Amino acid sequence: MCGHRAATSRCRLLLLLHCVFFVSCIQSIAAITSPTTNLSFIKTSKIMALKKNNNAATESSSVLRELKDTIRSQSAEIDRLKKELSSATPKKKAAPSVGHHGGGVDNEDILDYKIKSFYAIAHERVGWLAIFLLGLSFTALIMNGFEHTLSKQIELAYFVPLMAGHGGNTGGQAVGTVLSALSAGVITRKDAFKVVTKEAMSGLLMGLVLGALIGPISHYIMGISVHVSTVVSVTFPLLSTIAAFLGSGLPFACVMLGLDPTVIAAPAMTSLVDVMGLLAYFLLAQKIFLLFGMEL
């Protein structure tokens, strides 16, 4: 009986030892497998993050490609529209620059002008200049016709260059303004009457202002006689009106006749203003001298 109890006690003790050993083994296995599980989880998280970054980079590159394609297509469309506009819009002529006794710049395309030889340019202009030179010779005839007046009032000769220069300057301003407006398309032949009237009234106003200044200056500062100073003051408004009228009207006349206004208008204006201004100057002088009771 005692032996049976001792055997039972030993069996319970062995069973308890086996349970403890089994539990410790399980804990060891769990401790070993747990870091591996954590490491695999970390690796999985990193792989997913890398995949997300790759997807974001892929999406960004696709967006950039689409943006570049859009820019290329818009640039091609802009180039196409520019070509259409350049083919549909007529080439504008260069605006002329006109001065006294000058013909201005040829109203030619700038590329043609750059490659044109000096001989071709001279050939185009010399004929018109010869015609206007003959017109200027009328000034000599006018001076000869009023030689008797000049011999008695030599002071009149002092202002002949002044009259010619002022007429050319006034007409040159009008020619340059009208030609620039015509070449830019601001005005057309239909606006001729309005433009010429406006320029003529402007010339009259400028002549009144300048005549009111030059008369007293010539008398009180230069010592010119009262009657000659009066002639100069009265001639200035008339001369300015004639110059502005011709300077604005001749470009329209050239266009209507199919001629090149940049070659013809300025020298034609200068020639006509010189002749008409000198004639008006001497005719007014005769009338004013009679008003002063002077015998000619």
Side-chain angles (χ1 to χ4, degrees):
M1 188 70 179
C2 292
H4 178 72
R5 289 180 178 176
T8 303
S9 298
R10 285 195 297 270
C11 288
R12 289 178 178 176
L13 180 60
L14 290 173
L15 181 60
L16 179 62
L17 291 174
H18 280 292
C19 289
V20 171
F21 179 76
F22 181 74
V23 170
S24 64
C25 288
I26 290 175
Q27 289 178 351
S28 299
I29 292 170
I32 293 171
T33 58
S34 178
T36 306
T37 304
N38 293 334
L39 182 62
S40 63
F41 177 76
I42 293 171
K43 288 182 178 179
T44 304
S45 300
K46 289 183 177 180
I47 291 171
M48 293 179 66
L50 289 173
K51 286 183 179 180
K52 289 182 179 179
N53 291 333
N54 291 333
N55 292 333
T58 303
E59 291 178 358
S60 299
S61 61
S62 63
V63 170
L64 287 175
R65 282 196 298 271
E66 291 179 0
L67 183 60
K68 289 180 179 178
D69 293 337
T70 303
I71 292 173
R72 290 193 191 99
S73 62
Q74 289 180 352
S75 299
E77 183 68 16
I78 290 172
D79 293 336
R80 185 183 64 81
L81 291 174
K82 285 181 178 180
K83 290 179 180 179
E84 291 180 357
L85 288 174
S86 62
S87 61
T89 304
K91 294 181 178 180
K92 292 183 179 181
K93 305 292 183 66
S97 60
V98 184
H100 176 54
H101 292 278
V105 179
D106 280 340
N107 193 20
E108 303 158 343
D109 185 82
I110 190 64
L111 295 178
D112 294 338
Y113 176 76
K114 290 175 68 175
I115 63 176
K116 187 171 291 186
S117 64
F118 70 92
Y119 174 79
I121 294 174
H123 182 266
E124 289 179 356
R125 298 180 183 179
V126 67
W128 290 107
L129 291 176
I131 294 173
F132 300 137
L133 185 61
L134 292 176
L136 287 172
S137 63
F138 283 103
T139 58
L141 296 177
I142 294 172
M143 296 284 289
N144 187 48
F146 290 93
E147 183 179 4
H148 181 68
T149 303
L150 284 172
S151 62
K152 290 189 174 183
Q153 299 293 331
I154 193 62
E155 289 178 334
L156 288 174
Y158 299 161
F159 296 94
V160 170
L162 179 68
M163 295 295 171
H166 173 69
N169 291 337
T170 305
Q173 287 180 335
V175 169
T177 303
V178 172
L179 286 181
S180 298
L182 283 172
S183 63
V186 177
I187 57 176
T188 61
R189 290 185 296 177
K190 297 179 181 179
D191 302 312
F193 179 78
K194 179 181 179 181
V195 172
V196 172
T197 303
K198 179 170 61 176
E199 288 289 342
M201 296 300 295
S202 175
L204 176 61
L205 180 59
M206 292 185 295
L208 289 171
V209 173
L210 294 175
L213 292 174
I214 194 65
I217 291 174
S218 62
H219 176 64
Y220 292 105
I221 297 177
M222 299 175 59
I224 304 298
S225 59
V226 177
H227 50 278
V228 174
S229 299
T230 304
V231 172
V232 174
S233 296
V234 174
T235 305
F236 256 76
L238 179 60
L239 177 61
S240 299
T241 304
I242 294 172
F245 175 82
L246 293 174
S248 59
L250 285 173
F252 287 107
C254 292
V255 171
M256 292 176 183
L257 294 175
L259 302 174
D260 188 356
T262 57
V263 175
I264 301 171
M269 177 275 304
T270 302
S271 301
L272 291 174
V273 168
D274 285 349
V275 173
M276 297 177 66
L278 196 59
L279 183 61
Y281 177 55
F282 286 118
L283 290 176
L284 286 173
Q286 286 185 342
K287 298 296 183 183
I288 291 173
F289 290 165
L290 292 176
L291 291 176
F292 276 91
M294 301 177 62
E295 294 291 338
L296 295 177

